[in-house]
Amino acid sequence: MLLDKPAPEFPLTSLDEETVSLASMKGKPVVVNFWASWCVPCRQEAPLLRELDSRTGNDMVLLGILFQDTDKAARNFIQEFNLKYPTLRDPKLATAIDYGVAGVPETFFIDAQGIIRHADKGGLTRERLNEGLKKVGVPEL
């Protein structure tokens, strides 16, 4: 299990063709959400993640990582839910494998030092999201 261990590093390309690395986020808590447009719980948690993104400002970083999905379907999902945070491609699932993702959604809460402090499997609820945020020092929603 990855809890209380350094988060696996990744350089991934966003749907906007920007390279994003976890190392560049050191010093801020990071929430990493693995998701797919075809995933029903992902659809249910999307409004909650949008709210988190709109409330946190520069206090933390929220990243989505696409899991076995197409760019087109992901873009439609992002537009439907009006998501603004970066979505990254993981075409060979190397990052998902490094994080031990078995299915989506899965969310990892990484502290400012790059240590995974909490992991959540399944669709987030406000209560479960707040549990993870507390463990990385981010104010609750």
Side-chain angles (χ1 to χ4, degrees):
M1 189 64 160
L2 292 175
L3 284 180
D4 298 322
K5 293 192 166 94
E9 176 51 51
F10 57 78
L12 295 172
T13 304
S14 74
L15 291 176
D16 296 328
E17 304 302 332
E18 293 181 30
T19 299
V20 176
S21 71
L22 188 61
S24 69
M25 319 243 163
K26 213 152 208 174
K28 289 185 179 184
V30 180
V31 176
V32 177
N33 175 257
F34 288 84
W35 67 275
S37 64
W38 46 261
C39 159
V40 173
C42 298
R43 299 183 75 74
Q44 294 166 339
E45 74 180 10
L48 193 58
L49 292 170
R50 180 184 59 230
E51 182 182 349
L52 172 64
D53 185 48
S54 71
R55 284 198 185 176
T56 55
N58 291 323
D59 296 337
M60 60 152 284
V61 176
L62 175 59
L63 298 172
I65 298 182
L66 207 51
F67 185 86
Q68 296 184 326
D69 210 340
T70 66
D71 285 7
K72 182 178 181 184
R75 288 179 199 284
N76 289 340
F77 182 97
I78 289 165
Q79 183 177 9
E80 178 182 347
F81 290 100
N82 194 28
L83 304 178
K84 305 290 186 202
Y85 54 89
T87 291
L88 311 176
R89 296 180 185 106
D90 187 17
K92 295 184 178 164
L93 299 179
T95 303
I97 290 166
D98 287 348
Y99 277 76
V101 173
V104 287
E106 288 194 31
T107 306
F108 296 84
F109 297 82
I110 303 166
D111 70 14
Q113 290 72 45
I115 307 298
I116 296 176
R117 297 298 179 189
H118 186 71
D120 189 276
K121 296 177 186 276
L124 289 168
T125 61
R126 186 172 300 274
E127 178 181 74
R128 288 170 39 208
L129 176 61
N130 284 331
E131 180 182 346
L133 292 175
K134 278 190 271 188
K135 292 188 178 178
V136 296
V138 174
E140 296 181 35
L141 282 185

